[in-house]
């Protein structure tokens, strides 16, 4: 019999603190217009407790012509529904941002100009905007299990093409993370069903470096090494795509970098995988597995001596 987990509520203070961390600065806007937006959002989701101090004479729809639309015979969720908590958190987050910069969402609705395209893992513990301390609109994102990039994934390649050719990003960041469940699953021989097809991409990387991985006796450290090598493989897969070749051929300034995130410390580390041209790609492809693992060992020893 399962035991229900106690849900820890997110307070308004928590939301405000998160927004303040985004370094969004306040700008001037008529007070009554801000209240229009706040009242409208709170009213739409029927949070009477949150609207007690709002002006009851405000025209609820005058400032937001595009009101939420419901398709199908769906009942309004009650206070105990899981969605109610998410909607409440969203309203507090939106309100906190608009208190600091009233025109933030209005400006964002006119387009995006991110400098970074992030390819990361779907793991919920690796939220790119939060760990980079960047606001909405500053990171274009694609995530999948174990941050795998392969030439047959039209989803990932379509996002890459849009990021490079339309948004003109300057950095493609491939981020692996220690403690990755996908990488850990690929380390063994257990069958998981449909996901085995996806994990086969990581297993192929493991086989390419099997000899050097086996020299690492500690299982956790071996998994960390595969996380790093898997990230490198995705960096090279991005670099080998026709999308990047075309971008570099036309002189576009865009670099691919590999980083790893440590969920135990909250810190990012760069892995030394930088590709900004076809020449860079050729140099990386000439580095064999033995050289990679030798460099990894040297770096680890150097870090130990520093500490």
């Amino acid at each position: 019999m399962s035991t229900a987990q106690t849900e820890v509520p997110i307070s308004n203070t928590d939301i405000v603190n998160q927004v303040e961390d985004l370094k969004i600065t306040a700008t001037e806007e008529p007070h009554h217009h801000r209240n229009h937006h706040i009242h409208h959002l709170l009213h739409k989701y029927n949070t009477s407790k949150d609207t007690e101090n709002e002006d009851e004479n405000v025209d609820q729809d005058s400032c937001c012509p595009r009101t939420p639309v419901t398709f199908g015979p769906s009942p309004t969720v009650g206070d105990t529904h899981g969605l109610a908590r998410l909607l409440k958190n969203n309203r507090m987050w939106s309100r906190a941002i608009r208190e600091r910069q009233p025109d933030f969402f209005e400006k964002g609705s006119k387009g995006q100009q991110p400098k970074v395209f992030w390819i990361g893992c779907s793991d919920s513990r690796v939220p790119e905007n939060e760990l980079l301390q960047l606001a909405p609109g500053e990171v274009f994102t694609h995530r999948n299990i174990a941050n795998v990039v392969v030439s047959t994934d039209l989803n990932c390649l379509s996002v890459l093409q849009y990021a490079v050719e339309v948004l003109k990003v300057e950095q493609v960041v491939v981020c692996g993370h220690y403690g990755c469940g996908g990488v850990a699953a690929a380390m063994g021989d257990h069958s998981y069903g449909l996901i085995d097809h996806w994990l086969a991409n990581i297993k192929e990387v493991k086989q390419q470096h099997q000899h050097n991985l086996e020299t690492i006796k500690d299982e956790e450290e071996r998994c960390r090494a595969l996380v790093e090598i898997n990230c490198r493989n995705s960096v090279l897969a991005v670099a080998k795509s026709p999308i990047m070749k075309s971008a570099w051929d036309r002189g576009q300034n865009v670099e691919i970098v590999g980083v790893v995130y440590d969920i135990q410390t909250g810190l990012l580390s760069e892995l030394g995988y930088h590709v900004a041209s076809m020449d860079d790609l050729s140099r990386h492809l000439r580095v064999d597995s033995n050289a990679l693992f030798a460099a990894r060992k040297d770096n680890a020893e150097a870090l130990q001596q520093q500490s």
Side-chain angles (χ1 to χ4, degrees):
M1 186 173 69
S2 62
T3 303
Q5 294 183 346
T6 303
E7 201 173 71
V8 180
I10 298 179
S11 68
N12 190 37
T13 301
D14 294 331
I15 300 292
V16 171
N17 288 340
Q18 290 178 22
V19 170
E20 289 177 348
D21 286 340
L22 295 176
K23 303 298 187 297
I24 296 173
T25 57
T27 58
E28 294 298 326
E29 180 181 285
H31 180 71
H32 71 278
H33 187 242
R34 182 164 66 252
N35 279 346
H36 273 301
H37 282 283
I38 294 171
H39 180 92
H40 176 77
L41 286 171
L42 297 178
H43 173 81
K44 281 294 175 182
Y45 295 104
N46 192 29
T47 55
S48 57
K49 292 181 180 179
D50 292 333
T51 58
E52 290 176 354
N53 297 325
E54 297 293 341
D55 182 0
E56 294 299 332
N57 296 320
V58 171
D59 182 357
Q60 297 161 6
D61 294 317
S62 62
C63 65
C64 299
R66 295 185 179 182
T67 56
V69 176
T70 300
F71 292 95
S74 300
T76 302
V77 300
D79 292 341
T80 59
H81 194 285
L83 180 60
R85 175 174 174 265
L86 301 182
L87 293 174
K88 183 176 181 181
N89 290 346
N90 169 255
R91 292 193 301 277
M92 290 190 295
W93 172 78
S94 174
R95 180 172 182 170
I97 285 182
R98 285 182 283 108
E99 285 291 336
R100 294 179 63 82
Q101 185 175 329
D103 63 348
F104 179 82
F105 293 110
E106 181 182 355
K107 287 182 177 179
S109 69
K110 296 177 181 178
Q112 56 177 326
Q113 295 180 314
K115 301 297 183 184
V116 176
F117 173 40
W118 176 278
I119 301 176
C121 182
S122 299
D123 195 301
S124 61
R125 299 167 295 178
V126 193
E128 62 281 350
N129 276 76
E130 187 170 351
L131 65 89
L132 295 172
Q133 284 296 277
L134 295 178
E138 295 190 82
V139 185
F140 196 61
T141 303
H142 176 82
R143 297 171 71 177
N144 60 46
I145 293 176
N147 46 273
V148 169
V149 180
V150 287
S151 61
T152 55
D153 185 356
L154 297 183
N155 182 4
C156 181
L157 294 180
S158 296
V159 183
L160 173 65
Q161 182 176 16
Y162 188 83
V164 172
E165 296 182 4
V166 179
L167 298 178
K168 307 295 185 184
V169 297
E170 296 175 359
Q171 283 190 316
V172 177
V173 178
V174 180
C175 180
H177 72 96
Y178 299 131
C180 179
V183 172
M187 290 283 291
D189 297 321
H190 184 77
S191 177
Y192 297 94
L194 180 63
I195 197 176
D196 290 344
H197 297 281
W198 188 254
L199 297 179
N201 296 300
I202 311 171
K203 288 182 180 247
E204 184 177 340
V205 176
K206 183 186 71 170
Q207 290 170 358
Q208 292 170 356
H209 301 276
Q210 187 71 43
H211 172 72
N212 285 297
L213 285 169
E214 287 178 349
T215 64
I216 303 174
K217 301 307 179 184
D218 182 76
E219 185 176 352
E220 181 180 353
E221 187 61 26
R222 192 184 315 126
C223 190
R224 288 167 69 94
L226 183 55
V227 164
E228 297 163 9
I229 295 299
N230 180 61
C231 180
R232 174 183 183 269
N233 191 71
S234 291
V235 168
L236 298 182
V238 173
K240 287 187 284 187
S241 71
I243 298 164
M244 298 307 303
K245 183 179 185 303
S246 296
W248 290 326
D249 284 347
R250 61 177 175 264
Q252 186 170 339
N253 181 27
V254 54
E255 179 187 33
I256 312 160
V257 298
V259 299
V260 66
Y261 177 69
D262 192 333
I263 59 175
Q264 294 183 338
T265 64
L267 296 177
L268 284 169
S269 300
E270 76 90 26
L271 292 170
Y273 309 144
H274 293 245
V275 187
S277 67
M278 293 304 295
D279 288 339
D280 286 346
L281 174 59
S282 296
R283 283 193 291 272
H284 278 282
L285 291 176
R286 288 196 295 268
V287 178
D288 64 17
S289 182
N290 292 335
L292 283 173
F293 278 80
R296 186 180 189 275
K297 183 179 179 181
D298 290 342
N299 289 336
E301 291 174 352
L303 288 174
Q304 281 186 343
Q305 291 176 358
Q306 291 176 7
S307 59

